[in-house]
Amino acid sequence: MSSVAVLTQESFDEHRSGLAQPAVRVAAIGSEEESDPPTYKDAFPPLPEKAVGSETPSEPVGAWSKIRPIKSSVITQVFHVPLEERRYKDMAQFGEGEQAKICLDIMQKTGAQLELSLAKDQGLSIMVSGKLDSVMKARKEIVTRLQTQASASIAIPKEHHRFVIGKSGDKLQDLELKTATKIQVPRPDDASNQIKITGTKEGIEKARHEILLISAEQDKRAVERLEVEKAFHPFIAGPYNKTVNDIMHETGTRINIPPPSVNKTEIVCMGEKDQLAQAVVRIRQIYEEKKKKTTSIAVEVRKSQHKYVIGPKGNSLQEILERTGVSVEIPPSDSSSETVILRGEPEKLGQALTEVYAKANSFTVATVSAPSWLHRFIIGKKGQNLAKITQQIPKVHIEFTEGEDRISLEGPTEDVTVAQQQMEALVSDLISRMDFAEINIDHRFHRHLIGKSGTNINRIKEQYKVSVRIPQDSEKSSQIRIEGDPQGVQQAKKELLELAQRMENERTKDLIIEQRFHRTIIGQKGERIREIREKFPDVIINFPDPTTKSDIVQLRGPKNEVEKCTKYLQKMVSEMVENSYSISVPIFKQFHKNIIGKGGANIKKIREECNTKIDLPAENSNSEMIVITGKKSNCEAARDRILAIQKELANITEMEVSIPSKLHNSLIGAKGRFIRSIMEECGGVHIHFPSEGSGSDTVTIRGPAQDVERAKKQLLQLAEEKQTKSFTAELQAKPEYHKFLIGKGGGNIRKVRDQTGARIIFPTAEDKDQQLITIVGTEEAVKDAQKELESLIKSLDNIVEDTMSVDPKHHRHFVIRRGQVLRDIAEEYGGVTVSFPRSGVQSDRVTLKGAKECVEAAKKRIQDIIEDLEAQITMECMIPQRFHRSIMGPKGSRIQQITREHGVQIKFPDREENPQAATNAESPAQENGEEGAENKIAADPGSPKKCDIIVISGRKERCEAACEALKALVPVSIEVDVPYDLHRYIIGQKGAGIRKMMDEFEVNIQVPAPELQCDIITITGLSSNLDRAKGGLLERVKELQAEQEDRALRSFKLVISVDPKYHPKIIGRKGAVISQIRTEHDVNIQFPDKNDENQDQITITGYERNTEAAKEAIMQIVGDLEQMVSEDITLDHRVHARIIGGRGKAIRKIMDEFKVDIRFPQSGAPDPNLVTVMGKPEDVDEAIDHLLNLEEEYMSDVVENEVMQSYMKPPSQDENKPQPSKGFVVRDAPWAAGGSNEKAPDMTSSEDFPSFGAPVAHKTSPWGPKRHGGGKGLMPADMSASC
């Protein structure tokens, strides 16, 4: 039967007032209370209303009047600092400066809020808000830091100082806070009685007053010290201190009796003098009386029983004293004495003695023999086993001592006997079913036995239900203890010893690998090292931290595996070392672009075919070295190919010169200065000396034939000088003179060298001293050369100014391009300054300023340039516009080269608006709107097309040479016959093949459209490139024809018939088996589709011999499978998951161990317990036995879990199904106003109980008109007032 809670007026009032605990009366439906529910106003009294027009609020009416007010924890106080006491008076602006900083600091320290204001009298008013403690601290800080401080001293008796300080200094701190002062009390060892007070005048007065009050109060009190024999202290104190408490209560004094453990006889009494005298009299009376009437006896009680006589907190001694009036003295615990002294009236000593012995014998101590290793099993998990005994017999204390084979029991004799029996029974039971074993394993292996985060040792503990105790690393102990079930102990012992044996066979090896290879071995994102670890799973590979710069890589694992891994890594490193071989090839800078090829085709091809890394210097670099990295043989092959390209492009020869190796270093010079000067003088030839220590005398010179001969001559001459007697001299010259001293094409310096026979070396851009010139040769030759150079330098230092006349029409040539021509003249002729007239000035006068020789040479150079300009002609070269782009070359490189070589200007015409007319040379063109005019570019040079004319400006002979060079760049076309069926292979995927050939040979190859089915392929390009392109194309045709023949041989098909049930086994897990067969025999193997009629046919495609070999491999697998048997067994489906294991690890281990295949039923199978085992008969039988054993083992756990679950099941829903409730009932409710039937509001209705913020449709309601609350929802009038 359901019940309803009815809230009465009384319970509501009590609940509101907080005078009683909230209570709800519960009445059964149909009872008398139900017939008279409370009214709505009783249950929900209205809020109190204010009296209209009254100034003071009326007292609240109803139950709300009893609600207790909540006291605020925040207070506000105002402090005033007079002008004369302000510390900071002179401020430029109020609220700034040091005063403001101090206020901020006080707020941060105390947590209080400060507001400062300035009064009319310039005093400072500070309002402080916050918690009481914060306000008091802030007040003290304000007084200390914002108010000027005064000090005063007050003298009070020295013995009163401690009362001023109070316990732990609390009194003094409180006094300082209240008075906002600093009070200094002299130390106890200081004889002074002066207390110093620092603060404001007002604060000092308050503190002084308080201290004097404390002292006056203490003046009324006195202290008396009584000497009373220690033996009589218990009588004065009385049982449970009753006597002394009575005296203190009656006299109002304080009496301090030293505790029994303190060996003092002095009793101290404090209080007012009259009352103190009464207390002293009472104490002396007790002392004198007991001294006369009492006597003492000494008895022997075993030391172990003393604590029972004393009792907990000395209660037993007090109990004896209360009953008999006899004091019992027990010797200290650190004393070996067993004598107990009883002191009291003679007639009561007997009774006291009886009680002492009764107390001593009321407790007993017993021991239970139990091996120490068994103690924790006796205690149980979280003390469960021990709790069973101690809960039944709580007075018995059980103590386990570590390392001892016994357990101590202490308590009442009867209880101890019962506990002893239970403990002995528990020990016997545990000994019968528990065992332990101790094994010795080198402590070095302990952490490996434990495993990462204890995985290994936890698995052993859980699997064998044992406890394994491994000593800490710091103990360096090798003993491991195993405790638990005898069988589990033996199994765990066996496994741990096997693990240790395996670890002993493990080997740690340090492999030295250069750190630069570590990153390569690890690979990007650790891919390569992951592969190595998968290949050697038993080996742990540890690389050093990159910051340590160590080369040692540590390998640890089984000896054989470590050796294999070592060899594998050494092989990998040797390959890396081999692949890191590097050689530098000097290639003339102008040929670098040819080495790279169009779109990088040449360099890419060399890299791919030679399997090397080739690095070229940057375009803006002066270096000519191309660095090749890889295997030595590959690097040499790449070098030869690069040199071959250079040799093919230029008349490059290579010559070897024999020079004794001992002279090599002196010939090279400091930082290569000597040899570099020879290379620069001889047109930039490359001179290569053998590596130091090789013992070779061969020096290689490479470059143009004429330059090589010159370099050879100079090198041999220098070597001869070095062998005879070499002399060196140095002199200084400004860097701007160097070019003039060298002369155009090295003419000046060559003249000096030819006259004297000395070698003159100028500094390079890399040299620090740019003024240093070195002269090398015989002493006589060096001195002559030095004399000649010094005279030249001296003449250069002789600055002169000269003028010359230059026709204004030529001025523009010299000043265009920001005066590039003038800059070149200045650089070449010793920094001479050439000044032309300003723009707009009609003058032909040009001024030159500099060294006399330089000025003369510059004038001559300007005259030569003017002669060239005067002799300049303009020539037209007619080449069809369609060839202009190819003539220019990439970024105009070809035109720039011709311009530089021939010293001419070349201008190409603008492109024609209708390019079709220009490109179609065979069709008639329209001229001046008339049809029929023929294109006569080649036939009629008198009427050429404007877009075909290239204008060349310069000297006549140079223009003619440039015109010939341009015409040589006009592409020509040849045709090559290539079978039509090969065209698509030549084009390649997305045109990659044809693009590669075009980039490689720098030609255009045009393949006819497929619909034409034509065999002719057109090659267009420079005549020098056509032969190479044609040869390359024909070579590609041969390759494709060979591939066609090979493709035909590879297309041999062999079909074999294999029962479909064997197909999954042939394919293998994730296709591993079939992939291996495909890879080994280089064949393609196709299995039938699901919808294929011939489900037993497997198709093998490849070379005939390979397909036969693959067939044999497949048939061998089938033969092995035919020997296998399949058996079905019934395993309870509840243990399937445990047998399979996480992610199938457990079942895979079983299948690998027994070499069988195990199939579990799919979800929804007719028989969920049916498991199929496939394999060889003997393997299947062993696997089935193993599975059945596992089922038996796991089923016990399953049954146990199900039993436990049955107890833990929640009660059925039917039992707890809630009965229909009538709800909370009240009378005279607003909703009942419209009808006779009472009906509680529907609390699920959003209209009756709207949510905050939810829009509700308007509806007439007994609550009255609804009000809109700004989109915040609607509320009844009374309730909105309360909110």
Side-chain angles (χ1 to χ4, degrees):
M1 184 176 181
S2 64
S3 62
V4 62
V6 179
L7 187 66
T8 65
Q9 179 65 41
E10 292 78 17
S11 65
F12 183 84
D13 289 344
E14 286 177 354
H15 175 68
R16 284 289 185 187
S17 63
L19 297 174
Q21 292 291 332
V24 177
R25 295 174 61 192
V26 179
I29 297 298
S31 66
E32 291 179 5
E33 292 185 17
E34 184 198 0
S35 61
D36 190 20
T39 64
Y40 181 78
K41 285 186 179 180
D42 290 339
F44 302 100
L47 288 169
E49 294 183 358
K50 289 184 179 180
V52 180
S54 62
E55 291 180 2
T56 57
S58 61
E59 288 294 319
V61 294
W64 299 101
S65 60
K66 295 182 182 178
I67 296 176
R68 294 173 181 172
I70 298 172
K71 192 174 181 180
S72 173
S73 62
V74 177
I75 65 164
T76 301
Q77 287 190 12
V78 178
F79 306 113
H80 188 73
V81 181
L83 174 63
E84 61 274 10
E85 292 184 14
R86 280 178 59 192
R87 179 168 287 184
Y88 302 99
K89 297 176 187 175
D90 302 325
M91 288 189 297
Q93 189 173 349
F94 182 70
E96 292 182 355
E98 193 65 27
Q99 183 172 276
K101 290 179 184 176
I102 289 170
C103 290
L104 284 172
D105 187 45
I106 293 170
M107 285 195 286
Q108 287 176 353
K109 277 186 180 178
T110 62
Q113 291 296 320
L114 270 65
E115 290 183 23
L116 276 72
S117 60
L118 212 57
K120 287 181 181 179
D121 61 356
Q122 295 299 305
L124 193 65
S125 293
I126 305 165
M127 186 169 73
V128 186
S129 302
K131 292 187 178 178
L132 179 62
D133 185 42
S134 301
V135 169
M136 297 308 290
K137 286 179 182 176
R139 179 193 173 198
K140 184 184 174 184
E141 288 283 334
I142 289 164
V143 169
T144 307
R145 298 171 69 176
L146 295 181
Q147 205 165 351
T148 54
Q149 303 289 298
S151 64
S153 296
I154 181 172
I156 64 169
K158 185 77 175 174
E159 57 267 20
H160 296 172
H161 286 192
R162 63 193 183 93
F163 298 103
V164 174
I165 295 168
K167 189 177 182 181
S168 303
D170 291 343
K171 183 79 175 173
L172 184 64
Q173 286 177 12
D174 190 39
L175 194 58
E176 285 181 333
L177 273 177
K178 280 182 181 178
T179 60
T181 57
K182 176 70 177 173
I183 302 169
Q184 291 177 313
V185 180
R187 297 178 63 82
D189 52 2
D190 190 346
S192 173
N193 62 354
Q194 296 285 332
I195 294 176
K196 187 178 178 182
I197 309 166
T198 307
T200 62
K201 290 178 182 178
E202 184 186 355
I204 290 171
E205 287 301 320
K206 283 183 182 178
R208 190 170 179 278
H209 176 69
E210 291 290 334
I211 292 168
L212 288 172
L213 279 177
I214 293 168
S215 180
E217 188 182 341
Q218 295 305 318
D219 278 337
K220 296 176 185 177
R221 303 175 70 83
V223 178
E224 186 79 31
R225 302 177 187 276
L226 301 176
E227 286 291 333
V228 178
E229 289 181 51
K230 186 77 175 174
F232 295 98
H233 285 191
F235 299 110
I236 294 166
Y240 302 105
N241 292 327
K242 189 177 178 183
T243 305
V244 76
N245 287 340
D246 289 344
I247 295 170
M248 287 193 291
H249 182 68
E250 288 171 11
T251 61
T253 56
R254 187 177 171 190
I255 301 169
N256 184 16
I257 300 173
S261 56
V262 178
N263 190 21
K264 281 187 178 181
T265 58
E266 187 180 68
I267 296 175
V268 180
C269 305
M270 291 176 287
E272 292 186 7
K273 292 178 181 178
D274 296 339
Q275 294 170 337
L276 182 63
Q278 294 176 21
V280 170
V281 169
R282 291 277 300 277
I283 291 168
R284 282 185 173 151
Q285 282 177 356
I286 295 168
Y287 173 53
E288 294 299 334
E289 183 186 350
K290 292 296 179 184
K291 198 171 181 182
K292 289 177 186 176
K293 291 183 178 180
T294 59
T295 184
S296 63
I297 59 169
V299 295
E300 296 295 319
V301 177
R302 285 204 307 272
K303 188 75 177 176
S304 59
Q305 293 178 321
H306 285 191
K307 58 184 176 181
Y308 307 129
V309 176
I310 296 168
K313 297 181 181 179
N315 284 344
S316 297
L317 295 178
Q318 298 296 329
E319 191 181 331
I320 294 169
L321 181 61
E322 186 179 30
R323 287 182 186 174
T324 63
V326 175
S327 163
V328 181
E329 295 175 29
I330 306 291
S333 56
D334 54 356
S335 169
S336 59
S337 172
E338 293 186 341
T339 304
V340 175
I341 298 170
L342 283 74
R343 187 179 306 276
E345 295 177 12
E347 62 272 13
K348 294 182 180 178
L349 286 174
Q351 182 186 349
L353 183 61
T354 305
E355 290 206 16
V356 165
Y357 278 119
K359 297 283 184 188
N361 295 319
S362 63
F363 283 78
T364 186
V365 176
T367 57
V368 176
S369 296
S372 58
W373 64 269
L374 208 59
H375 288 185
R376 57 198 192 85
F377 296 103
I378 295 168
I379 295 167
K381 192 174 183 181
K382 294 182 180 178
Q384 288 176 351
N385 295 346
L386 207 59
K388 292 175 184 176
I389 298 171
T390 54
Q391 284 171 3
Q392 293 174 4
I393 317 164
K395 292 183 180 179
V396 175
H397 173 70
I398 303 171
E399 187 177 347
F400 293 84
T401 308
E402 191 174 351
E404 292 187 9
D405 294 339
R406 62 187 180 84
I407 303 166
S408 300
L409 287 79
E410 186 179 309
T413 308
E414 294 179 2
D415 291 351
V416 166
T417 306
V418 175
Q420 185 177 8
Q421 291 171 356
Q422 291 184 10
M423 288 293 290
E424 286 174 348
L426 180 60
V427 169
S428 301
D429 176 54
L430 287 171
I431 288 173
S432 64
R433 57 188 180 84
M434 300 291 282
D435 197 3
F436 77 94
E438 290 181 347
I439 55 175
N440 287 312
I441 295 174
D442 196 320
H443 69 272
R444 291 181 294 116
F445 302 137
H446 287 185
R447 62 191 183 93
H448 303 301
L449 291 176
I450 294 166
K452 190 176 181 181
S453 302
T455 48
N456 291 350
I457 205 69
N458 288 339
R459 178 186 57 78
I460 291 170
K461 286 178 180 178
E462 190 177 343
Q463 186 175 348
Y464 301 118
K465 303 291 186 287
V466 294
S467 171
V468 183
R469 304 186 73 182
I470 297 175
Q472 296 289 332
D473 286 344
S474 55
E475 295 179 23
K476 303 290 184 187
S477 172
S478 60
Q479 191 174 75
I480 295 175
R481 189 179 180 91
I482 310 164
E483 300 164 356
D485 177 68
Q487 187 178 354
V489 166
Q490 293 305 316
Q491 289 174 333
K493 177 182 175 182
K494 183 182 177 185
E495 182 164 343
L496 285 171
L497 288 172
E498 285 175 359
L499 283 171
Q501 182 76 26
R502 203 180 309 154
M503 285 173 199
E504 283 176 1
N505 291 333
E506 279 189 355
R507 181 183 174 189
T508 300
K509 186 169 184 177
D510 290 342
L511 196 61
I512 296 174
I513 299 173
E514 286 183 63
Q515 195 176 36
R516 62 193 174 108
F517 297 128
H518 291 186
R519 188 184 290 276
T520 314
I521 294 171
I522 293 166
Q524 193 174 11
K525 295 181 181 178
E527 289 176 359
R528 291 189 73 178
I529 196 65
R530 204 178 297 121
E531 289 175 11
I532 297 168
R533 283 175 174 149
E534 286 173 4
K535 193 177 183 73
F536 304 100
D538 296 334
V539 179
I540 297 168
I541 306 170
N542 291 322
F543 284 87
D545 192 314
T547 55
T548 60
K549 294 187 178 179
S550 172
D551 295 338
I552 296 172
V553 177
Q554 193 180 71
L555 309 180
R556 187 171 56 79
K559 187 177 178 181
N560 295 336
E561 289 296 307
V562 167
E563 288 299 326
K564 287 179 186 175
C565 188
T566 302
K567 287 178 182 176
Y568 183 83
L569 286 173
Q570 284 173 341
K571 184 181 176 184
M572 183 185 284
V573 171
S574 63
E575 285 176 4
M576 287 179 193
V577 171
E578 192 179 348
N579 289 333
S580 64
Y581 179 78
S582 178
I583 54 174
S584 297
V585 186
I587 299 293
F588 293 101
K589 193 78 176 178
Q590 62 265 34
F591 299 130
H592 282 199
K593 63 178 184 294
N594 304 95
I595 302 294
I596 296 168
K598 190 174 181 181
N602 291 354
I603 200 74
K604 199 182 295 177
K605 186 177 180 182
I606 296 170
R607 280 171 179 156
E608 288 173 0
E609 293 182 0
C610 298
N611 193 22
T612 54
K613 180 185 176 186
I614 303 173
D615 295 316
L616 285 92
E619 285 184 22
N620 55 0
S621 169
N622 293 325
S623 174
E624 295 184 334
M625 289 296 178
I626 295 177
V627 181
I628 308 169
T629 309
K631 289 185 178 179
K632 187 177 180 181
S633 56
N634 294 348
C635 289
E636 288 171 352
R639 179 189 62 189
D640 294 343
R641 289 186 63 168
I642 290 170
L643 290 172
I645 292 172
Q646 180 182 245
K647 195 170 183 180
E648 185 181 330
L649 292 168
N651 181 24
I652 303 297
T653 59
E654 190 174 292
M655 187 179 288
E656 292 183 350
V657 182
S658 182
I659 297 172
S661 59
K662 63 183 180 180
L663 297 176
H664 289 185
N665 284 342
S666 59
L667 289 175
I668 293 167
K671 297 183 180 178
R673 289 185 68 196
F674 293 166
I675 203 66
R676 199 160 52 239
S677 70
I678 294 174
M679 289 194 290
E680 286 171 1
E681 278 184 37
C682 299
V685 295
H686 295 133
I687 301 174
H688 177 69
F689 283 83
S691 57
E692 195 174 354
S694 63
S696 174
D697 295 339
T698 304
V699 178
T700 307
I701 309 170
R702 188 186 306 113
Q706 191 178 354
D707 293 337
V708 167
E709 282 296 333
R710 282 168 56 205
K712 176 186 175 184
K713 186 179 176 183
Q714 288 194 29
L715 200 60
L716 290 172
Q717 185 182 344
L718 187 60
E720 190 178 345
E721 289 174 4
K722 291 283 180 185
Q723 276 183 314
T724 54
K725 189 177 181 183
S726 180
F727 188 77
T728 304
E730 293 177 347
L731 57 100
Q732 301 281 329
K734 292 178 182 178
E736 55 264 29
Y737 295 164
H738 290 185
K739 277 206 171 183
F740 181 76
L741 292 172
I742 293 166
K744 192 173 182 180
N748 294 350
I749 207 70
R750 196 181 299 115
K751 186 179 176 182
V752 174
R753 194 183 64 211
D754 292 343
Q755 286 176 358
T756 62
R759 171 163 296 283
I760 301 157
I761 300 164
F762 286 84
T764 61
E766 290 81 19
D767 291 334
K768 287 183 180 178
D769 191 349
Q770 289 293 305
Q771 294 190 359
L772 184 68
I773 300 171
T774 308
I775 309 168
V776 181
T778 61
E779 187 175 354
E780 185 183 352
V782 167
K783 285 182 178 179
D784 290 344
Q786 186 176 4
K787 188 177 178 182
E788 184 73 25
L789 285 173
E790 281 174 349
S791 66
L792 281 171
I793 293 165
K794 190 175 181 181
S795 65
L796 289 172
D797 287 335
N798 182 21
I799 303 298
V800 297
E801 188 172 318
D802 199 358
T803 59
M804 65 181 292
S805 181
V806 177
D807 194 325
K809 68 179 180 182
H810 299 311
H811 287 193
R812 187 174 178 276
H813 175 79
F814 289 97
V815 297
I816 58 171
R817 290 178 294 156
R818 297 181 182 179
Q820 181 63 46
V821 176
L822 295 180
R823 282 204 302 273
D824 292 342
I825 291 169
E827 190 178 341
E828 191 171 346
Y829 298 104
V832 68
T833 306
V834 184
S835 301
F836 276 76
R838 289 181 185 176
S839 178
V841 177
Q842 293 298 319
S843 173
D844 61 354
R845 189 178 177 187
V846 176
T847 306
L848 295 90
K849 187 177 181 182
K852 188 176 180 181
E853 285 79 0
C854 295
V855 168
E856 290 300 324
K859 281 173 72 175
K860 188 176 184 304
R861 174 64 183 143
I862 291 170
Q863 290 290 352
D864 291 343
I865 292 170
I866 291 168
E867 283 178 20
D868 285 346
L869 292 171
E870 299 238 340
Q872 186 170 298
I873 63 160
T874 299
M875 180 182 283
E876 292 181 350
C877 180
M878 288 174 291
I879 296 172
Q881 189 185 26
R882 66 177 182 272
F883 301 129
H884 288 188
R885 188 183 294 277
S886 63
I887 289 169
M888 288 181 186
K891 297 180 182 179
S893 58
R894 290 175 181 169
I895 283 301
Q896 289 168 13
Q897 188 175 351
I898 292 171
T899 303
R900 280 196 306 270
E901 286 178 1
H902 299 285
V904 295
Q905 296 294 321
I906 301 171
K907 186 180 179 184
F908 280 79
D910 295 331
R911 290 185 64 80
E912 192 179 38
E913 290 182 6
N914 185 12
Q916 191 170 353
T919 54
N920 190 4
E922 295 177 4
S923 63
Q926 289 187 10
E927 293 183 9
N928 302 323
E930 298 177 2
E931 294 184 5
E934 294 180 359
N935 187 348
K936 301 178 181 179
I937 292 172
D940 188 4
S943 59
K945 272 195 167 188
K946 192 177 179 181
C947 64
D948 296 339
I949 296 172
I950 300 170
V951 179
I952 307 170
S953 302
R955 284 183 174 269
K956 185 179 179 182
E957 63 275 9
R958 292 179 182 176
C959 289
E960 288 171 352
C963 185
E964 289 300 320
L966 286 173
K967 287 179 178 177
L969 293 174
V970 175
V972 293
S973 298
I974 59 170
E975 293 181 347
V976 182
D977 192 356
V978 176
Y980 166 73
D981 59 334
L982 297 179
H983 286 192
R984 64 193 183 97
Y985 300 111
I986 288 169
I987 294 169
Q989 192 175 12
K990 295 182 180 178
I994 199 81
R995 271 200 307 275
K996 186 180 177 184
M997 290 179 71
M998 288 195 292
D999 291 341
E1000 185 178 349
F1001 301 115
E1002 296 185 20
V1003 294
N1004 180 42
I1005 302 173
Q1006 189 174 359
V1007 180
E1011 56 269 15
L1012 298 176
Q1013 295 195 356
C1014 176
D1015 293 343
I1016 302 300
I1017 291 179
T1018 305
I1019 306 174
T1020 305
L1022 300 179
S1023 56
S1024 58
N1025 295 338
L1026 289 179
D1027 291 336
R1028 288 195 306 121
K1030 182 179 178 180
L1033 182 60
L1034 293 174
E1035 188 66 33
R1036 179 63 180 150
V1037 169
K1038 285 181 185 176
E1039 289 176 10
L1040 291 170
Q1041 287 173 343
E1043 284 177 13
Q1044 275 186 333
E1045 292 174 8
D1046 185 64
R1047 206 177 295 117
L1049 292 172
R1050 286 178 63 87
S1051 300
F1052 180 80
K1053 283 189 178 181
L1054 182 65
V1055 179
I1056 58 173
S1057 179
V1058 176
D1059 194 323
K1061 68 180 180 181
Y1062 298 134
H1063 289 190
K1065 286 292 181 184
I1066 295 168
I1067 293 168
R1069 190 165 178 267
K1070 294 184 180 179
V1073 177
I1074 201 67
S1075 296
Q1076 188 177 354
I1077 295 171
R1078 283 173 179 153
T1079 307
E1080 281 183 8
H1081 301 288
D1082 190 21
V1083 293
N1084 182 33
I1085 302 171
Q1086 192 70 34
F1087 284 83
D1089 293 332
K1090 288 184 179 179
N1091 303 325
D1092 202 332
E1093 292 181 2
N1094 302 317
Q1095 286 291 310
D1096 60 339
Q1097 288 187 356
I1098 298 174
T1099 306
I1100 309 171
T1101 309
Y1103 294 115
E1104 186 176 356
R1105 64 181 182 280
N1106 290 359
T1107 56
E1108 289 293 341
K1111 176 187 173 183
E1112 288 178 12
I1114 291 170
M1115 296 313 292
Q1116 186 177 350
I1117 293 170
V1118 172
D1120 292 343
L1121 291 171
E1122 285 175 345
Q1123 293 177 8
M1124 293 184 181
V1125 296
S1126 175
E1127 285 194 29
D1128 293 338
I1129 60 169
T1130 301
L1131 290 180
D1132 195 299
H1133 67 277
R1134 290 173 292 179
V1135 300
H1136 287 190
R1138 287 193 67 179
I1139 292 172
I1140 293 167
R1143 296 184 180 181
K1145 284 184 180 179
I1147 197 65
R1148 276 202 299 276
K1149 187 177 178 184
I1150 294 169
M1151 290 195 289
D1152 292 342
E1153 185 180 347
F1154 294 100
K1155 297 177 183 176
V1156 295
D1157 185 34
I1158 302 171
R1159 304 275 176 176
F1160 285 85
Q1162 298 288 337
S1163 58
D1167 186 356
N1169 301 326
L1170 193 66
V1171 177
T1172 306
V1173 186
M1174 294 174 61
K1176 292 183 179 179
E1178 59 276 11
D1179 294 338
V1180 168
D1181 291 342
E1182 288 179 11
I1184 289 172
D1185 290 344
H1186 183 71
L1187 289 172
L1188 292 173
N1189 288 339
L1190 287 177
E1191 181 195 28
E1192 186 179 345
E1193 182 182 339
Y1194 294 155
M1195 276 306 293
S1196 61
D1197 293 342
V1198 170
V1199 172
E1200 186 178 338
N1201 286 339
E1202 286 179 353
V1203 170
M1204 290 297 294
Q1205 288 296 325
S1206 66
Y1207 285 111
M1208 296 169 71
K1209 275 185 183 176
S1212 63
Q1213 293 183 355
D1214 295 339
E1215 293 173 10
N1216 288 344
K1217 192 172 181 181
Q1219 298 298 323
S1221 172
K1222 189 173 180 180
F1224 178 68
V1225 180
V1226 291
R1227 290 181 292 117
D1228 302 332
W1231 57 79
S1236 57
N1237 295 329
E1238 288 188 1
K1239 181 183 177 186
D1242 182 7
M1243 288 185 289
T1244 61
S1245 168
S1246 62
E1247 292 182 355
D1248 292 340
F1249 291 90
S1251 302
F1252 280 97
V1256 182
H1258 288 284
K1259 175 183 171 184
T1260 55
S1261 167
W1263 295 102
K1266 296 183 179 179
R1267 300 175 187 175
H1268 291 279
K1272 300 289 183 181
L1274 300 174
M1275 301 173 64
D1278 287 346
M1279 293 180 73
S1280 65
S1282 67
C1283 294

